[in-house]
Amino acid sequence: MSCVQKVNSRVLGIRAPSGLQALAARITEEIKQGTLKPFKRVIDLSSNDPHRAEMAPISFVRQVLAACLYPEIIKENSLPLDVRQRARELLGACLGGSVGSYSATPYGIPHVIKSIAEFITGRDGGVKSHSENIIFSSGSQKTLEMVFNLMADVEGKTQRGVLTPMPCPHTLPPLLDMSGLTLVPYQLKEDRGWAVDLDELHRALNSARGRCEPMAIYISNPGNPTGHVQDRKTMKEVICFAATEGLVLLAEEVYQDSVYGGDREFISYKKVLFEMDKSFSETVELVSFHSISSPCMGECGLRGGYMEVINMDPAVFQHLKQLQATSSPTILPQLALDVMVNPPTLGDPSYETYSQEIRHTLTTLSHNALRACEFLNNVPGMSCQPGAAGIFLYPCLHLPPQMIEEAKGLGVEADVLYCQRLVEEEGLCLGAGCENGQEDQNYHVRLCVLAPPATLDEVLTRLCSFNHPKQLLDAVQKCSVMCLVHYNCRSEDS
């Protein structure tokens, strides 16, 4: 290709990243090279990656995967008996007894698919899950991409759209751009704990008509990055709305294992759907997503996920399966999914250790979220809704007018400028709210709270220091325009 005009227009339309993680990585490298900074290390809590935040992985998961990768250790007694038994079982489900083989079918390993179907059935109180309705891919975003590709109409004159919560997962807007679908925003109600509002759904749908054809509504429950958990009443309203308007219901439920709000519980959209009468349970098209990036597993880098598809027309579903079959799902993520949905049980040698590690993760998450929320509500220029699940808090920024004006002059979002200065001045990388789809002046940042308590203490101390009125004003004035442009250019190059 000799010029940018020949690049796929969909690729050209993908919104540019903020470059904050690239900036954090660059400063980390400068510290390694001996450059003196006012901090000893950069702390990155912008993503949903607990291992990056120095949380330890779950031992049983790693032990089983290690034994599958190197079966020789199964012969030894260094690993618990149930680990060795699980590794033998999973290797027996692999072609050639090896993780280096292709998947047994283009749709996944039948043994793992069966495990997931049994997990869903148990989770939903006996509502039957069928193996043939489950589709694997390399992470929940990849499975979502398959659904988006099924919906997009590249030849039609009118683009198709997806109703999308604001804020939404920060990976979602670029995925919609890449798929050629229009993002139709509906605002979550921050003053009501990030609630989904039925009137707002109707407003968003009506505003979309004429400029796109709405095809689906996307729901994140528990909320990413807001940490809210929906109740049955809200979920039934959303299901009725989808049914009335003929929308496919896309339910991202990756944080289902991390509810810590005392009066909240996770209920799947499938369970609620099947509690309703047959005019809904047999007609509403539902696709739900889960992955090994869930907080308790935290295996983001393995990139494994699945979706369960309910009430989709068989001919349409067959095309979705064909999209999956173009690339055989990788083996290790499937094995990790099997471990996630089928953990050690009471009486197994690994049960006590596994249970202790899961409790430690959930206790750390719960205590950190409560402590951080209370702290942030006492930091000048910040306010924060409490979380009830998931790994993020999403505090609101009350930025000084000088920073907002400077951001306009530089052609960047004010929350991005805030986060850039925060990395440069305090070595702390948070996610800018505009990455989560927000385009108004209600600025926010995204903060992962699943980190060791000592790390979170350091983060909160740095935030408090940076948000002191004098410190923040100094940060506005300190960095030159040329320095900021230099960082932006290099971030785009990377």
Side-chain angles (χ1 to χ4, degrees):
M1 271 183 215
S2 58
C3 61
V4 73
Q5 284 79 8
K6 294 183 179 180
V7 173
N8 185 326
S9 59
R10 285 191 183 180
V11 175
L12 291 173
I14 297 173
R15 59 201 74 196
S18 66
L20 291 170
Q21 289 191 344
L23 174 58
R26 191 171 305 119
I27 293 176
T28 295
E29 186 59 30
E30 290 173 0
I31 293 172
K32 288 180 180 179
Q33 298 300 323
T35 304
L36 293 178
K37 300 285 183 182
F39 42 86
K40 293 182 179 180
R41 61 168 181 156
V42 174
I43 303 175
D44 186 348
L45 293 183
S46 64
S47 74
N48 63 332
D49 183 350
H51 296 167
R52 175 186 291 187
E54 301 176 345
M55 291 293 291
I58 301 298
S59 300
F60 185 75
V61 178
R62 292 299 180 88
Q63 289 170 340
V64 171
L65 294 182
C68 289
L69 280 164
Y70 189 63
E72 287 299 312
I73 61 177
I74 297 176
K75 303 172 185 177
E76 304 171 2
N77 293 324
S78 57
L79 294 175
L81 177 61
D82 56 340
V83 168
R84 288 177 278 143
Q85 289 174 337
R86 178 66 66 86
R88 287 193 190 98
E89 182 182 290
L90 292 176
L91 286 172
C94 296
L95 293 178
S98 171
V99 298
S101 62
Y102 285 119
S103 187
T105 75
Y107 311 111
I109 300 171
H111 172 87
V112 180
I113 297 174
K114 181 174 179 290
S115 293
I116 290 174
E118 290 172 350
F119 160 76
I120 295 172
T121 301
R123 180 199 67 187
D124 293 340
V127 178
K128 186 67 176 175
S129 176
H130 300 281
S131 296
E132 59 269 23
N133 292 337
I134 293 168
I135 292 180
F136 284 117
S137 190
S138 54
S140 59
Q141 292 303 304
K142 197 67 177 179
T143 48
L144 188 58
E145 181 183 345
M146 283 193 281
V147 176
F148 285 169
N149 286 336
L150 194 70
M151 291 179 175
D153 183 4
V154 296
E155 297 179 357
K157 293 182 179 179
T158 303
Q159 271 198 319
R160 293 171 176 175
V162 176
L163 270 69
T164 305
M166 291 292 111
C168 65
H170 67 280
T171 53
L172 186 57
L175 193 57
L176 288 165
D177 293 340
M178 185 168 58
S179 303
L181 292 168
T182 298
L183 188 157
V184 179
Y186 65 90
Q187 301 295 326
L188 302 177
K189 300 301 181 181
E190 184 172 6
D191 58 350
R192 289 163 46 196
W194 300 108
V196 177
D197 181 80
L198 188 59
D199 289 338
E200 172 62 11
L201 293 182
H202 285 291
R203 183 209 62 76
L205 186 67
N206 291 333
S207 71
R209 290 189 169 126
R211 64 185 181 93
C212 73
E213 178 188 359
M215 296 287 292
I217 175 171
Y218 179 96
I219 291 285
S220 178
N221 182 50
N224 176 2
T226 57
H228 68 283
V229 181
Q230 295 176 15
D231 56 24
R232 270 188 171 83
K233 178 178 180 294
T234 299
M235 296 168 78
K236 287 180 178 179
E237 289 178 346
V238 170
I239 290 169
C240 291
F241 173 78
T244 301
E245 303 298 340
L247 301 173
V248 180
L249 178 53
L250 307 175
E252 185 262 285
E253 299 175 329
V254 173
Y255 291 160
Q256 62 186 262
D257 68 351
S258 63
V259 177
Y260 51 81
D263 59 341
R264 305 295 178 89
E265 63 172 332
F266 169 77
I267 312 166
S268 75
Y269 260 90
K270 181 185 176 185
K271 180 174 174 60
V272 173
L273 175 62
F274 279 81
E275 290 173 350
M276 300 171 72
D277 63 52
K278 291 185 178 180
S279 63
F280 295 100
S281 64
E282 295 183 354
T283 62
V284 173
E285 291 181 90
L286 169 66
V287 186
S288 60
F289 305 87
H290 195 14
S291 87
I292 53 177
S293 297
S294 67
C296 286
M297 280 285 285
E299 297 290 355
C300 306
L302 287 178
R303 309 302 298 165
Y306 69 84
M307 58 182 162
E308 185 184 26
V309 182
I310 305 296
N311 292 329
M312 186 174 283
D313 181 276
V316 176
F317 183 60
Q318 190 56 39
H319 285 290
L320 187 60
K321 300 270 282 189
Q322 288 172 2
L323 282 174
Q324 183 201 28
T326 58
S327 177
S328 177
T330 50
I331 299 298
L332 278 181
Q334 292 186 69
L335 304 188
L337 278 166
D338 187 274
V339 176
M340 179 181 77
V341 301
N342 190 15
T345 57
L346 184 64
D348 292 341
S350 299
Y351 177 76
E352 285 301 322
T353 298
Y354 176 84
S355 299
Q356 287 173 8
E357 291 176 348
I358 293 295
R359 282 197 301 271
H360 173 72
T361 297
L362 291 175
T363 300
T364 298
L365 181 58
S366 174
H367 289 176
N368 282 0
L370 178 62
R371 188 160 54 91
C373 184
E374 291 176 350
F375 188 95
L376 293 171
N377 278 317
N378 287 297
V379 171
M382 302 188 84
S383 59
C384 186
Q385 289 287 332
I391 65 174
F392 290 118
L393 289 181
Y394 198 65
C396 185
L397 294 176
H398 311 289
L399 297 177
Q402 300 98 315
M403 180 169 278
I404 296 173
E405 287 304 312
E406 185 184 359
K408 288 179 181 178
L410 295 168
V412 298
E413 296 292 338
D415 49 7
V416 172
L417 180 58
Y418 172 91
C419 289
Q420 286 175 331
R421 300 289 164 80
L422 183 60
V423 177
E424 294 163 350
E425 298 295 316
E426 294 288 346
L428 178 57
C429 184
L430 304 183
C434 62
E435 294 178 334
N436 298 91
Q438 291 191 288
E439 296 181 349
D440 56 17
Q441 290 194 356
N442 194 13
Y443 302 112
H444 291 79
V445 289
R446 184 178 67 251
L447 166 63
C448 172
V449 292
L450 185 50
T455 299
L456 185 66
D457 285 343
E458 188 173 351
V459 166
L460 297 179
T461 299
R462 294 188 192 188
L463 259 179
C464 188
S465 171
F466 184 74
N467 275 64
H468 187 279
K470 183 179 185 305
Q471 182 83 355
L472 190 56
L473 184 59
D474 288 346
V476 173
Q477 298 170 343
K478 185 174 181 180
C479 296
S480 68
V481 172
M482 290 302 295
C483 180
L484 184 60
V485 171
H486 173 66
Y487 275 133
N488 282 340
C489 291
R490 292 186 65 183
S491 296
E492 291 172 5
D493 291 342
S494 64

